[in-house]
Amino acid sequence: MGLLIRHGEIVTASERFVGDVYCDGGKIAAVGPGLEKRSSSDEVIDAAGAFVFPGGVDPHTHMELPFMGTEASDDFETGTAAAVAGGTTTIIDLACPGRGQSLLEGLELWLKKAEKAVSDYALHMAVTWFGDKTAAEIAECVQRRGITSFKSFMAYKGAIGVDDDELLEIMAATRDAGGLTMLHCEHGDIVASLQKKLISEGKTEPRYHPVSRPSFVEGEATGRATALARVVGQRLYVVHMTCRESLEAVTQARLRGQEVYAETCPQYLLLDDSVYEKPDFEAAAYVMSPPIRPSGHQEALWGGIRAGIFDTVGTDHCPFFQKGQKEMGRADFTKIPNGAAGVENRLQLLYTYGVCAGRMDMNRFVSLVATRPAQIFGLYPRKGSIVPGADADLVVYDPSGEGVVSAATHHHRCDRSIFEGFKVKGKVARTVAGGKVVFADGKLDVRRGAGRFVKRPAR
Ligand code: URP
Ligand code: ZN
Ligand code: ZN
């Protein structure tokens, strides 16, 4: 049975026109005006008055990540279901083997966890140490396992973080394999030292989390990351950028001619550090790294979007329940599991506070949430595009809808939303994944295990 989506305003990263999309066998078969049903059993969606754009590609999620003594509360099933409800049809999650663990063993573990995904997914590989076999395993990932991006953490000293010596080795091995280096940029030693000082002074509440990781600590690490990449001659993708200093570091590197990609997330565009003043340990819901920044940085980030410095908006979706998980850090903010939910909210928030607020046009919106993530990570044109032969992953977005984000109604497996009370414009009327309607009229119609692992080709 085919699917015909009619009379919608089709938006890609470069085009915008009223037309139809015909899907068959899980793929887009035709795009254009005046398309007809090819079989009497074809399903027809009337998208008049709505946008039709490619399913979102979230380049940064952490489903069921073991982290800081607990595990992210969305698994691949609940997390991809929430994604689909928000118009994201592909996530790129992080396989995260620990220090001393083989990358390939870690990969097998993550592929097993991900089998329950309801929509398609790809994986980045975390490189949390450099051993005798790491270079060969990176090459194996690129050449045969469909994994071409490798992420390391300059923060989280003593856990999954790496120091500069290791990073140079990891970057060189990734360069030789033809992979892309991704980095979480914060100066791990400074953070550890500030945390120790604050705790020793009895400053144990969540409000001290951002004090332990000021923006210059991120800016310094971002600059250092670009310097390391420059020395090695390696391509770099900087994840979850939050501040002016990082934007400057990336811009400097680009002006030197380096290939550096930049990602930010809705929470850094839309929240400021007043969230850490919330009473009754509610501030713990906002404990993530890097932290939410003082006001001023948000407009700099929007400026970075306007200036084309940001390639992507991801979510860094990594939820933890307040009850039983965030509470682990009641007596010590350094023990609060870092992260928050967001995979369901990305498109609606960016549409509302980006497009409707006049900060970007629809093409740029599609580029940030779908097309550029797909291009940078080797999923394009299968994902992030509306062309014949691409996967039939589409969103029908009704601009006349509106709503309010709330933990009471979201699909995330989490008891808090960091966007609680945010008004949103437009709504995902339908999500189509692989030619099948998986979300319509506020209801999910998904199947555990329907998602496929999307292998990415070596360059
Ligand atoms: O606080 C965060 N960001 N948690 C998830 C892990 C990471 O650093 O991306
Ligand atoms: Zn990170
Ligand atoms: Zn992350």
Side-chain angles (χ1 to χ4, degrees):
M1 185 176 84
L3 173 70
L4 178 62
I5 304 174
R6 262 192 177 145
H7 305 145
E9 187 165 358
I10 296 168
V11 187
T12 67
S14 55
E15 289 180 290
R16 188 172 167 169
F17 57 94
V18 174
D20 313 322
V21 185
Y22 184 78
C23 312
D24 196 21
K27 300 278 181 194
I28 293 171
V31 185
L35 299 184
E36 297 292 341
K37 281 168 61 163
R38 294 185 184 177
S39 148
S40 57
S41 64
D42 284 350
E43 186 180 346
V44 179
I45 295 173
D46 179 6
F51 295 117
V52 177
F53 50 74
V57 178
D58 190 335
H60 190 164
T61 67
H62 301 285
M63 305 306 170
E64 53 191 289
L65 175 74
F67 193 46
M68 297 184 71
T70 182
E71 189 166 282
S73 56
D74 261 319
D75 65 20
F76 276 86
E77 182 180 6
T78 61
T80 50
V84 158
T88 288
T89 48
T90 305
I91 61 164
I92 316 182
D93 205 87
L94 180 72
C96 194
R99 185 162 270 279
Q101 198 182 2
S102 139
L103 300 191
L104 299 179
E105 276 171 32
L107 175 58
E108 290 312 313
L109 204 67
W110 254 265
L111 286 171
K112 192 83 206 138
K113 294 182 199 226
E115 276 174 4
K116 47 190 175 304
V118 307
S119 65
D120 289 355
Y121 54 92
L123 292 173
H124 308 292
M125 174 58 66
V127 190
T128 59
W129 66 299
F130 194 83
D132 293 346
K133 296 194 179 129
T134 307
E137 292 197 325
I138 289 173
E140 169 70 15
C141 282
V142 174
Q143 283 155 21
R144 275 177 284 280
R145 307 295 179 106
I147 294 182
T148 56
S149 43
F150 298 84
K151 178 172 171 187
S152 296
F153 297 86
M154 297 169 90
Y156 308 128
K157 186 179 161 61
I160 52 176
V162 292
D163 60 21
D164 290 358
D165 286 348
E166 281 183 311
L167 205 42
L168 284 166
E169 307 251 41
I170 294 165
M171 280 185 172
T174 309
R175 175 205 60 205
D176 292 347
L180 174 67
T181 293
M182 303 169 70
L183 281 177
H184 170 137
C185 299
E186 288 182 291
H187 194 307
D189 291 296
I190 295 183
V191 172
S193 149
L194 287 176
Q195 285 180 330
K196 203 168 148 201
K197 179 171 178 292
L198 288 162
I199 294 296
S200 76
E201 291 168 355
K203 296 175 175 163
T204 58
E205 299 156 74
R207 71 174 67 224
Y208 294 106
H209 172 72
V211 182
S212 71
R213 336 174 74 103
S215 58
F216 70 84
V217 165
E218 178 186 333
E220 184 282 337
T222 309
R224 186 156 34 95
T226 65
L228 296 170
R230 182 184 187 183
V231 166
V232 173
Q234 169 58 337
R235 304 179 296 130
L236 179 64
Y237 179 98
V238 183
V239 299
H240 54 38
M241 284 167 47
T242 72
C243 60
R244 201 178 285 113
E245 292 92 326
S246 287
L247 272 173
E248 284 164 5
V250 163
T251 306
Q252 292 292 329
R254 286 187 182 163
L255 291 173
R256 287 196 298 264
Q258 287 184 249
E259 188 176 338
V260 181
Y261 302 104
E263 173 196 273
T264 190
C265 309
Q267 57 270 34
Y268 300 121
L269 290 162
L270 298 176
L271 303 175
D272 67 50
D273 66 352
S274 61
V275 295
Y276 295 113
E277 300 305 321
K278 288 183 189 278
D280 302 328
F281 203 61
E282 285 300 315
Y286 302 84
V287 168
M288 64 187 72
S289 294
I292 305 295
R293 297 300 181 194
S295 66
H297 287 281
Q298 298 73 23
E299 273 315 312
L301 297 182
W302 285 116
I305 285 187
R306 198 174 289 117
I309 297 169
F310 284 112
D311 295 283
T312 68
V313 174
T315 59
D316 195 14
H317 178 84
C318 189
F320 298 101
F321 280 87
Q322 190 81 354
K323 202 167 160 33
Q325 294 193 293
K326 292 281 184 179
E327 276 174 353
M328 292 162 63
R330 252 202 196 271
D332 176 346
F333 74 84
T334 68
K335 307 261 185 316
I336 299 170
N338 285 201
V343 75
E344 182 174 355
N345 310 122
R346 181 177 64 129
L347 270 57
Q348 235 181 350
L349 288 171
L350 206 64
Y351 175 75
T352 306
Y353 296 96
V355 178
C356 298
R359 288 166 161 145
M360 67 180 77
D361 64 16
M362 280 300 292
N363 303 112
R364 182 93 178 103
F365 166 78
V366 170
S367 173
L368 287 163
V369 301
T371 308
R372 284 302 281 152
Q375 288 173 333
I376 292 168
F377 292 109
L379 295 166
Y380 187 85
R382 179 174 170 185
K383 306 287 186 189
S385 73
I386 304 185
V387 290
D391 284 355
D393 296 348
L394 298 157
V395 178
V396 179
Y397 196 83
D398 174 5
S400 71
E402 45 186 37
V404 178
V405 180
S406 175
T409 49
H410 69 193
H411 294 79
H412 301 137
R413 188 153 74 184
C414 189
D415 57 359
R416 292 291 184 281
S417 170
I418 55 170
F419 304 110
E420 188 73 38
F422 267 71
K423 291 195 174 124
V424 281
K425 293 185 182 164
K427 67 167 194 221
V428 175
R430 299 253 189 308
T431 305
V432 175
K436 182 179 174 305
V437 178
V438 286
F439 182 74
D441 304 321
K443 289 196 180 57
L444 284 162
D445 182 11
V446 292
R447 187 173 57 78
R448 179 182 165 96
R452 299 162 298 179
F453 173 50
V454 185
K455 284 188 166 189
R456 297 176 282 140
R459 268 172 39 127

